[in-house]
């Protein structure tokens, strides 16, 4: 694995740069922000992630190790490839992505060109627990609210995430209420990502009735 490149910047383009490594030019794709930090003829350093395909080897470059880490985690989401992951980093700083993933803020991801509500909901679902804001500790996690006002803070966000995944608002609301009746401690924490996971887990365990009984009884 190529962890980083350091060498003379030979060229800076709109979407990539070329780093001269002792006479060998390495092309690296990067965000506009990262590319703007490079100057042709000067030394540059990029943290890198190598994407291997059957017909290609492509390097993606980042200004920090944190950016690369977030990029690699984004690639774990089904349907998110390197270009889309890079687009997310072009719109949001790494910490903003961590906060959005941790709090279940799907709307933040819809600001990225090419990401609609359905994909945003999938990103929030699959990144839950994988990206945590720096400095977040027990009892202070983003998305956590005091018990008295917890539902007012988290419920609309969880409903929005579920409707983006295909559930109606009525079915989503009923599913949340039913799943948390079995896990009141999760509701008390008020953590959006954890509540979403609990609800979807309940729907999965509920099997065939997930798409029918909730709507019929809700």
């Amino acid at each position: 694995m190529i962890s980083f490149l350091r060498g003379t910047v030979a060229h800076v383009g709109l979407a990539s740069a070329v780093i001269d490594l002792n006479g060998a030019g390495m092309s690296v794709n990067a965000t506009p922000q990262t590319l703007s930090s490079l100057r042709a003829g000067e030394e540059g350093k990029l943290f890198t992630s190598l994407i291997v395909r059957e017909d290609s080897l492509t390097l993606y470059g980042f200004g920090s190790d944190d950016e690369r880490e977030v990029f690699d985690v984004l690639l774990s989401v089904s349907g998110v490839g390197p270009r889309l992951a890079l687009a997310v980093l072009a719109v949001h700083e790494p910490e903003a992505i961590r906060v959005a993933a941790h709090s279940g803020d799907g709307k933040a991801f819809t600001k990225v060109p090419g990401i609609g509500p359905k994909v945003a909901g999938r990103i929030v679902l699959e990144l839950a627990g994988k990206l945590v804001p720096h400095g977040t500790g027990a009892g202070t996690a983003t998305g956590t609210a005091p018990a008295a006002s917890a539902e007012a803070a988290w419920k609309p966000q969880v409903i929005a995430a579920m409707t983006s995944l295909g559930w109606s608002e009525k079915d989503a609301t009923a599913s949340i209420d039913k799943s948390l009746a079995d896990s009141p401690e999760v509701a008390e924490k008020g953590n959006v990502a954890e509540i979403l996971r609990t609800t979807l887990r309940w729907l999965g365990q509920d099997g065939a009735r997930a798409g029918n009984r909730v709507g019929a009884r809700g």
Side-chain angles (χ1 to χ4, degrees):
M1 177 179 178
I2 302 175
S3 296
F4 69 87
L5 297 177
R6 176 184 285 140
T8 302
V9 179
H11 173 73
V12 180
L14 295 176
S16 65
V18 176
I19 308 295
D20 184 343
L21 303 177
N22 297 321
M26 301 289 286
S27 179
V28 187
N29 294 329
T31 65
Q33 297 94 315
T34 297
L35 293 170
S36 68
S37 68
L38 302 175
R39 298 289 182 271
E42 299 181 3
E43 183 178 85
K45 177 181 178 180
L46 293 176
F47 294 88
T48 58
S49 181
L50 177 64
I51 304 300
V52 180
R53 297 286 187 262
E54 291 184 1
D55 58 350
S56 66
L57 297 173
T58 307
L59 271 176
Y60 290 84
F62 312 93
S64 69
D65 192 43
D66 191 33
E67 287 185 3
R68 179 178 59 185
E69 180 183 350
V70 171
F71 174 83
D72 288 339
V73 174
L74 283 168
L75 292 181
S76 70
V77 177
S78 57
V80 175
R83 292 185 181 279
L84 194 56
L86 200 66
V88 174
L89 281 165
V91 174
H92 297 296
E93 293 290 332
E95 186 66 6
I97 298 171
R98 292 177 182 278
V99 170
H102 188 66
S103 64
D105 183 8
K107 289 185 178 180
F109 293 102
T110 62
K111 295 178 181 179
V112 179
I115 295 182
K118 189 171 183 178
V119 175
R122 188 189 310 135
I123 290 175
V124 168
L125 172 61
E126 296 189 26
L127 289 187
K130 293 183 179 180
L131 287 177
V132 179
H134 291 307
T136 297
T140 60
T142 300
T144 301
S149 59
E151 182 169 319
W154 60 254
K155 199 163 190 177
Q157 296 181 58
V158 179
I159 291 174
M162 291 189 66
T163 55
S164 72
L165 291 171
W167 276 273
S168 68
E169 184 173 338
K170 179 181 178 181
D171 286 355
T173 302
S175 297
I176 294 167
D177 292 342
K178 289 175 181 292
S179 66
L180 295 184
D182 298 330
S183 306
E185 72 283 356
V186 176
E188 289 176 4
K189 292 179 182 178
N191 183 277
V192 173
E194 187 175 357
I195 292 170
L196 178 60
R197 286 199 302 273
T198 299
T199 302
L200 294 176
R201 190 181 303 117
W202 180 87
L203 284 168
Q205 292 173 345
D206 211 32
R209 72 180 183 175
N212 300 314
R213 188 187 296 184
V214 172
R217 295 187 178 183

